[in-house]
Amino acid sequence: MGKWNFSVPEGYFDDCVALAAQLPGGKLTTRPLFALTPRDYPSDAGTTTDTRPWARFTSHVHALNRDSPEHVSYKIMLLTRHGQGFHNLKNQEVGDEAWDSHFSLLDGDDNTTWFDASLTPLGIAQATALSEQWLASITADGLPVPQTLYTSPLARCLQTSQHCLKPVMDAHNQPYRPMVKENLRERWTIHTCDKRRPRAWIAEHWPAYIIEDGFAEEDILGRQPREETEAENQTRILEALGDVFEQDGSEVVAWTFHSLAMQALLGALGMVPFKVQPATTVALLVRGEKEA
């Protein structure tokens, strides 16, 4: 695979950094129109009569791909953070200091398990509510139905994808077959919530999911005795993006992954990273150029 260089063209989406700064905890929630900035496009005159903002933007992206050199492509990336997990709940209960120094290193307590944390009932409700936002925007705004789905292998993301995106795909008679990608995992911080279960467990419990080639049976990253640096996380997440641009011809791609991993992606793309609330979707246009 050749090397891909990525950028985020400006002028298509609202300033999510500024929007996040106005919200509690500085964390963005899913915005109306998924923060798409209403505007005109050069492709408007020669495309469909569908005047909904996302329909026109999707047609514009199609025109960009049609008119670009073979080594350049554009993808609409719909990025979703998982809903609240039991690790998030325990962190809120005990506070950051106790969580980081003690509880995050345990598998759980007498009441709760947060090793490879699952969604809480609230997390499931959040993912379900987000699905309803997607469905409403597809109808009202022309938000495109994703052509390809990818997810982190951690349980909370497998669940969030099911509760958020399966209803979207089902409602539009599209197959629900997310691909599980190791490099979409959360930044490794030696917390047990970020360890994953074996490949065989994922295959048994999530049979509708496609596990990528080369996915190890056991958790290699989870054996690392030190925290992953931000730079290492950025390198790993760019490898995942490079895989998608190299192997997937879809123009509209959905990722279900994690808060720090999303910040790593934004930083690696040259953007100012911002935080998001659980079960939040952020949309980007990403330009990829493959080196000769």
Side-chain angles (χ1 to χ4, degrees), residues 49-63:
T49 57
D50 190 337
T51 60
R52 294 175 298 172
W54 265 99
R56 291 189 300 105
F57 175 61
T58 303
S59 293
H60 173 62
V61 174
H62 183 70

Side-chain angles (χ1 to χ4, degrees), residues 1 8 43 59 86 96 99 109 128 134 145 175 177 236 280:
M1 182 177 75
V8 176
S43 56
S59 293
F86 280 102
D96 289 342
W99 170 255
D109 58 20
T128 301
W134 277 65
V145 177
R177 296 284 284 163
R236 180 161 60 82
T280 292

Side-chain angles (χ1 to χ4, degrees), residues 99-171:
W99 170 255
D100 288 332
S101 64
H102 177 65
F103 288 97
S104 67
L105 307 178
L106 306 176
D107 286 348
D109 58 20
D110 292 340
N111 301 312
T112 307
T113 298
W114 52 80
F115 166 86
D116 189 12
S118 298
L119 293 182
T120 65
L122 174 58
I124 293 173
Q126 290 169 335
T128 301
L130 180 60
S131 182
E132 293 170 357
Q133 286 183 268
W134 277 65
L135 288 165
S137 189
I138 289 168
T139 300
D141 310 320
L143 180 75
V145 177
Q147 295 166 296
T148 319
L149 311 177
Y150 297 89
T151 178
S152 158
L154 300 187
R156 54 193 180 272
C157 292
L158 302 173
Q159 288 179 283
T160 297
S161 181
Q162 181 185 48
H163 289 287
C164 176
L165 295 176
K166 188 175 187 302
V168 170
M169 306 307 281
D170 288 349

Side-chain angles (χ1 to χ4, degrees), residues 12-14 16 19 29-39 41 51-57 76-78 133-134 136-144 281-284:
Y12 294 109
F13 291 93
D14 298 340
C16 288
L19 291 170
T29 56
T30 306
R31 307 302 299 168
L33 289 179
F34 291 74
L36 182 70
T37 303
R39 51 163 283 188
Y41 305 103
T51 60
R52 294 175 298 172
W54 265 99
R56 291 189 300 105
F57 175 61
I76 298 169
M77 304 288 296
L78 299 167
Q133 286 183 268
W134 277 65
S137 189
I138 289 168
T139 300
D141 310 320
L143 180 75
T281 298
V282 173
L284 297 178

Side-chain angles (χ1 to χ4, degrees), residues 9 32 48 50 56-57 66 71 83-84 98-99 125 136-137 144 169 176 190 195 200 211 236 263 272 276 282 287 291:
T48 176
D50 190 337
R56 291 189 300 105
F57 175 61
R66 181 194 64 212
H71 65 286
Q84 184 195 62
W99 170 255
S137 189
M169 306 307 281
Y176 178 71
I190 74 173
K195 292 186 176 182
I211 301 177
R236 180 161 60 82
Q263 292 178 60
V272 177
V276 299
V282 173
R287 179 186 185 273
E291 294 183 2

